[in-house]
Amino acid sequence: MTLQELAQNKNIVLQCHDIPDADTVGAAFALQQFFKSKEIETQIVYGGRAPITKPSLLMLIDALDIKIDFVKEIPANTDLLITVDCQYGAGNVQKFECKNWAVIDHHRAEITEGNNTEIRPTLASCATLVWDLMQKENYDFAANPLVADALYYGLFTDTNGLAELRHPLDRDLADIPHNKALIKRLKNATITLPELKIISNALGNENSIGRIGLFKAEPCDPNILGFTSDVVMQVNSLDCVIVYCTVGDMGQKLSVRSCSREIMASEIAGFVCAGKGSGGGNIEKAGGFIKESESYLIAKVKEYTTAYDLIYAGETATNLETEKRYRKKPIPVGFVKTTDMFASGSALTVRTLEGDIDLKASEDIYIMIGIEGEVYPILKHKFNKNYTILDTKYESKAEYIPTVIDRISGDKRNILSYAHFCTPKDDKIVKARQISKLTKVFSYWDTEKYFSGKPGDYLAANESDLADCYIINGKIFVDSYEEIAS
Ligand SMILES: [Mn+2]
């Protein structure tokens, strides 16, 4: 679906979800401005039980002069109804009958029909989705700073102050120029006095499991959960914190914090929510939702505490020496010399689907691009020992190609334009074992973050240095390694 297709209609209504937040309102406002640029007038509405009371949202509406109406019905001559940050007919949005409707949303798909639906649950905010759709129409954000402010703030609020960005596109939107003074004022108008009371009650409602703090709040905005978990994370005897509240009949909304290198907040959030909702974020901060009971949530947290094997490369005995030998098939992969992209010494961030990797540009450091688009750094001498450079231009079919950003200048480059093909030399031999339990591996490379393996993945190490072990995705391993005689 493209915005250009939707712009074939005349009387368009943009509907926000009930109890609107900054993401739905900001995204609807941006869409309204897009249609305006095509000389199409639109109306922004929302239904439900109550009008907006949230102080920061009222401030946003006022500051950007957003016209939004709390309505009981939509005009009879509506040609197209677009639900924004929600899905036509879903539970969180009042259903206004309209023959022709479209959906622009980033939540899990709840509806199966509809010709005009753009639903991308991998994005952290609807603002990110609208930004992507408008970029594809070459919308001029620099000339329309209020639109940039609306989208930025939508993303900001849906990700707990950018702490729970998920997709590379979220991180790209987070870099958009915006009105810092306005965002600062909005940031400091997020709670009301009654909400402060909810926070204070939650702080006293503790039920921790070992060093994982569990705190229950009364039903409240996700912001309030995030605020509370930030405070609780400061407690010296806790490594990780989950603050949650029950919403609706049987759902739990959670905010997660971690200060331990053995627990990634995004991972425990994903673990707890797996199959029952969705959870994600980054290493230190994450959030999630499950359609399950409170006791289910507590049981999952208990399960997490024993679900993983921990391996510290070089310290933990892995017994890989007794495993089978595998030869890496000579499948071409990509590589980039960091100094081909940026001047030596530049502080770089490689933005990947799995998260950001920080590096310095150096003659000695190359970046490898695997067959699934996964990237990892490699030292030049290791590269020369293990790979032969090919003379063909690099191409990739991976879903998302990493970008590399100079952290000082903000310069952004697509890794594809600088990459070349190489093939592993025949002598890359590893010993490997399929793992049957969730496993965290701290590699030589990064002592702050671990690689997570799931059952079916492989624990492997170069035959010449068995202590330098790492995880290889099960599918990638099967595709790119073959067993050889011992
Ligand atoms: Mn949203």
Side-chain angles (χ1 to χ4, degrees), residues 336 341 369 393-396 401-402 414-420:
V336 179
M341 304 193 76
I369 311 164
K393 194 176 153 23
Y394 180 73
E395 285 166 10
S396 172
I401 301 301
N414 188 316
I415 211 165
L416 259 192
S417 340
Y418 301 86
H420 298 274

Side-chain angles (χ1 to χ4, degrees), residues 23 27 85 87 103-109 118-136 151 154-159 164-174 278-281 287 353 399-400:
D23 188 37
D85 197 29
Q87 297 163 34
V103 169
I104 296 178
D105 189 22
H106 72 118
H107 296 94
R108 278 210 309 165
E118 185 75 19
I119 301 175
R120 281 195 240 158
T122 55
L123 303 179
S125 74
C126 192
T128 312
L129 175 52
V130 167
W131 178 71
D132 188 45
L133 292 172
M134 287 172 70
Q135 270 202 322
K136 285 179 180 148
L151 292 177
L155 173 71
F156 186 90
T157 53
D158 251 31
T159 57
E164 292 161 16
L165 299 174
R166 283 187 218 155
H167 195 276
L169 283 171
D170 297 325
R171 293 191 282 268
D172 285 341
L173 175 57
S278 74
L353 270 181
E399 177 208 345
Y400 174 82

Side-chain angles (χ1 to χ4, degrees), residues 379-392:
L379 287 172
K380 183 181 177 179
H381 75 267
K382 282 206 178 186
F383 175 86
N384 287 334
K385 211 177 126 203
N386 291 309
Y387 294 92
T388 310
I389 296 173
L390 298 182
D391 207 17
T392 43

Side-chain angles (χ1 to χ4, degrees), residues 322-382:
T322 62
E323 297 297 338
K324 290 179 181 153
R325 301 171 79 220
Y326 296 87
R327 185 178 74 100
K328 190 161 190 182
K329 295 182 208 165
I331 298 170
V333 292
F335 80 99
V336 179
K337 298 180 179 177
T338 50
T339 45
D340 278 354
M341 304 193 76
F342 290 98
S344 178
S346 311
L348 306 180
T349 292
V350 187
R351 184 150 287 172
T352 80
L353 270 181
E354 289 79 28
D356 287 355
I357 301 171
D358 291 348
L359 286 176
K360 242 191 174 74
S362 150
E363 292 287 342
D364 278 337
I365 298 177
Y366 292 2
I367 300 169
M368 301 297 303
I369 311 164
I371 46 179
E372 305 276 333
E374 75 281 11
V375 301
Y376 50 94
I378 185 168
L379 287 172
K380 183 181 177 179
H381 75 267
K382 282 206 178 186

Side-chain angles (χ1 to χ4, degrees), residues 68-124:
I68 176 168
D69 301 315
F70 179 48
V71 298
K72 297 274 173 250
E73 57 192 9
I74 56 170
N77 67 347
T78 302
D79 295 320
L80 173 68
L81 173 69
I82 307 175
T83 60
V84 182
D85 197 29
C86 54
Q87 297 163 34
Y88 187 71
N92 65 338
V93 54
Q94 185 169 347
K95 187 167 182 178
F96 295 125
E97 289 300 334
C98 188
K99 267 202 212 107
N100 189 22
W101 51 269
V103 169
I104 296 178
D105 189 22
H106 72 118
H107 296 94
R108 278 210 309 165
E110 285 186 60
I111 54 166
T112 47
E113 35 156 14
N115 307 325
N116 287 318
T117 60
E118 185 75 19
I119 301 175
R120 281 195 240 158
T122 55
L123 303 179

